[in-house]
Amino acid sequence: MTEQTQNTPACDPEELRTLFLFEQLTDAQLAELCRDGRIETIEPGPVYAEGDPATCFYVLMEGAVVLSKLSGGEDLVVNRTSQRGVYAGAWQAYLGDRVPQTYQGSMRVTEPSRFFVLDAECFASIVREWFPMALHLLEGLFFGNQNTKQIVEQRERLLALGSLSAGLTHELNNPAAAAVRATSALRNRVAHMRQKLAMIAGGTLDRGSLAHLVGLQNEAVELVAKAPKLTAMEASDREDELGEWFEDKGIGDGWDLAPTFVSAGLDVPWLDRVSATVDDPALLEGAIRWLNYTVETELLMNEISDSTTRISTLVGAAKQYSQMDRAPYRTVDMRELLDSTLIMLGRKIGDDITVVKDYDPTVPPIPAYAAELNQVWTNLIDNAVQAMAATPEEKGVLTVRTSLDEDQVQIEICDTGPGVPQEIRSRIFEPFFTTKPVGEGTGLGLDISWRIVVNKHQGELRLVSEPGDTRFVVRLPVDPAIEEEP
């Protein structure tokens, strides 16, 4: 953006002395400032824009300025002032090429305003020459804070990764152990089924009856897949019916067989068909146990299938969450990112919290840094879960919602916790601010989320909170003007 100037009046050292920024300077220093700088009167309108090369350092002498920062593609006003001596512009010039020399925000004037203006190079040279000790202190403060922030951020990421890894290991262990147990039991059942089949085949059954019994076996396998879901009371009633049938037929331990047949959806009329096929009462018990092993085998294979599918789902979620083998910046579906994060945090969310997904099917895939957005969802969901843990007497509800608002995709992470107190809402995105006890948080989760959403994706992150309804709202542009990092 082109800086607007109208005239260049003479600089008066005594006038500079009236500004709080320069009041302690010597006559020689004030004279040097006037020699190197200039007075400019700027008409209402923009002076410079955020992201432009920082070429000048401005000190307000008379007039009014508005300072703003970009947020969600729009200018967010951070200060309006007419105080003489306020400064803005290339104030980081003294750090040289160690930091990007661009304007950190935008400035405009609302009325004709006079400024004392120094070129960035002159300002940097004066600071280095006049205030060498202060320069070292400022450099140490600036880069020290950066290094500290980076180290703590890395630790926070490692802690989050450790927590997620522990949760994933636990989640993987359950289906893996179930598959191992089911496989061992399956081997045992198959062995018994072979023995019973040999006993039946060696008995008095004719070929037709044996073929009919095999047909009933195949039918039982098909019924397992179609078995209805029963309540505990319904299952108990059916087990009683089958137990009495087994007892009437003289089948020992029939009450132990009943639950298996009930879980497969087999009832007394079906068992009557088996009894009609096997005329010899001495062979009926063997046939029933053979069919029982068949049903158990099918149920065990279903358990193994469910367990291995669960493992595959978890591995897929972990791969999606970490964006393994994928380009950092690409077009992504928000639903996939949110789902993978919910799966990864499943153990932390637990059974006491109900998860509600409210996804708008019209939301299109958008270009984004997927792995970093997953970090945002992790931070926000983790905060929501911890907030609801503060009210354990109530069953919490975690709602994850997406919607499309013109050229913005909106993602909401909502919880039913007690809400964020009014007095700290303005500080929650500050670095190192935390409400957690000492040792339980670094206060960087929301700061990192803010910078990922606002700085890296040109989006918006805000909080709407009241008791029982707290929402972190993320808005991301559908078509962002982002240059992919090399």
Side-chain angles (χ1 to χ4, degrees):
M1 189 173 297
T2 303
E3 296 169 6
Q4 301 178 3
T5 63
Q6 189 176 47
N7 49 56
T8 308
C11 175
D12 180 2
E14 290 306 315
E15 185 179 15
L16 291 186
R17 194 188 298 277
T18 64
L19 305 176
F20 69 85
L21 189 62
F22 303 135
E23 61 186 1
Q24 298 299 322
L25 297 183
T26 65
D27 291 343
Q29 288 173 326
L30 290 171
E32 185 174 343
L33 280 179
C34 275
R35 186 168 60 250
D36 293 339
R38 59 190 181 275
I39 303 296
E40 291 186 5
T41 298
I42 302 178
E43 294 300 320
V47 181
Y48 58 76
E50 182 176 343
D52 286 350
T55 59
C56 295
F57 176 73
Y58 294 87
V59 182
L60 180 65
M61 302 185 72
E62 182 182 359
V65 299
V66 176
L67 302 176
S68 60
K69 292 272 297 180
L70 285 174
S71 174
E74 299 180 0
D75 266 342
L76 176 67
V77 174
V78 296
N79 193 16
R80 295 174 182 268
T81 182
S82 57
Q83 181 182 356
R84 299 180 71 250
V86 296
Y87 55 90
W91 65 272
Q92 288 187 335
Y94 60 85
L95 295 173
D97 56 8
R98 288 171 293 177
V99 298
Q101 290 299 328
T102 57
Y103 290 118
Q104 301 302 300
S106 301
M107 183 172 78
R108 59 187 173 89
V109 295
T110 56
E111 60 185 63
S113 303
R114 293 175 63 238
F115 291 89
F116 172 72
V117 183
L118 268 177
D119 289 340
E121 293 182 0
C122 289
F123 172 68
S125 177
I126 286 174
V127 172
R128 295 190 190 103
E129 180 183 346
W130 292 359
F131 313 107
M133 181 177 175
L135 176 63
H136 291 308
L137 292 173
L138 289 171
E139 288 178 339
L141 179 64
F142 182 85
F143 292 110
N145 281 343
Q146 278 196 331
N147 291 337
T148 300
K149 205 170 182 181
Q150 184 177 14
I151 291 170
V152 177
E153 282 179 11
Q154 289 174 346
R155 179 178 179 274
E156 180 126 325
R157 289 191 180 100
L158 287 173
L159 289 174
L161 180 60
S163 176
L164 288 173
S165 298
L168 180 61
T169 301
H170 178 82
E171 294 286 349
L172 287 171
N173 181 66
N174 287 341
V180 171
R181 289 194 303 268
T183 301
S184 176
L186 179 62
R187 184 177 290 108
N188 177 271
R189 299 302 186 275
V190 170
H192 281 79
M193 188 167 59
R194 289 197 299 265
Q195 294 173 4
K196 292 299 179 185
L197 180 59
M199 292 174 59
I200 294 171
T204 58
L205 278 181
D206 57 57
R207 181 176 296 179
S209 296
L210 184 58
H212 192 192
L213 189 59
V214 171
L216 287 173
Q217 179 194 39
N218 293 331
E219 184 180 329
V221 170
E222 293 177 2
L223 289 173
V224 169
K226 303 174 183 178
K229 298 294 183 182
L230 303 177
T231 65
M233 185 64 70
E234 290 172 337
S236 178
D237 291 342
R238 293 196 182 190
E239 288 173 12
D240 288 343
E241 293 175 4
L242 294 188
E244 292 174 0
W245 188 92
F246 290 135
E247 192 172 13
D248 292 342
K249 298 296 182 182
I251 298 175
D253 301 324
W255 295 97
D256 294 332
L257 301 178
T260 301
F261 283 92
V262 170
S263 63
L266 306 179
D267 52 16
V268 169
W270 191 87
L271 291 176
D272 287 337
R273 292 169 58 197
V274 177
S275 179
T277 300
V278 183
D279 296 330
D280 187 351
L283 293 177
L284 179 60
E285 181 171 350
I288 290 294
R289 293 191 180 280
W290 176 61
L291 290 170
N292 178 71
Y293 290 137
T294 298
V295 171
E296 283 189 322
T297 298
E298 194 65 24
L299 292 173
L300 287 169
M301 286 192 293
N302 286 345
E303 184 177 347
I304 292 172
S305 176
D306 291 342
S307 298
T308 53
T309 299
R310 174 63 177 164
I311 292 172
S312 177
T313 300
L314 286 168
V315 172
K319 188 174 182 180
Q320 171 70 26
Y321 180 85
S322 65
Q323 296 297 299
M324 188 188 308
D325 301 328
R326 303 189 183 195
Y329 185 73
R330 62 186 185 86
T331 300
V332 295
D333 188 330
M334 286 299 117
R335 291 169 295 187
E336 292 180 359
L337 300 188
L338 292 165
D339 282 343
S340 67
T341 305
L342 288 170
I343 291 174
M344 293 294 290
L345 293 173
R347 181 166 174 259
K348 179 171 286 190
I349 294 171
D351 298 327
D352 293 334
I353 293 177
T354 301
V355 178
V356 176
K357 300 178 185 179
D358 183 11
Y359 296 158
D360 183 349
T362 65
V363 172
I366 64 172
Y369 292 94
E372 297 192 31
L373 284 182
N374 279 340
Q375 187 177 0
V376 173
W377 312 143
T378 299
N379 291 336
L380 299 183
I381 292 172
D382 186 43
N383 279 345
V385 170
Q386 292 192 31
M388 287 184 282
T391 53
E393 67 280 359
E394 300 178 10
K395 188 175 179 63
V397 178
L398 173 69
T399 303
V400 181
R401 181 180 297 115
T402 66
S403 58
L404 184 63
D405 183 9
E406 297 182 351
D407 59 348
Q408 300 274 320
V409 171
Q410 182 164 295
I411 302 95
E412 296 179 68
I413 308 297
C414 317
D415 70 70
T416 55
V420 180
Q422 182 68 43
E423 61 270 19
I424 68 170
R425 291 182 191 178
S426 62
R427 301 190 59 199
I428 60 172
F429 296 112
E430 292 180 9
F432 305 108
F433 178 77
T434 179
T435 58
K436 299 175 185 176
V438 175
E440 294 188 14
T442 60
L444 282 176
L446 292 177
D447 171 55
I448 292 172
S449 300
W450 169 273
R451 285 185 283 113
I452 290 174
V453 172
V454 176
N455 297 344
K456 197 151 193 176
H457 288 85
Q458 301 175 0
E460 178 184 346
L461 173 57
R462 58 187 175 88
L463 168 70
V464 179
S465 182
E466 60 183 47
D469 181 18
T470 296
R471 288 174 284 147
F472 280 94
V473 182
V474 176
R475 291 172 63 86
L476 300 170
V478 173
D479 187 19
I482 301 176
E483 292 186 6
E484 183 177 357
E485 294 180 350

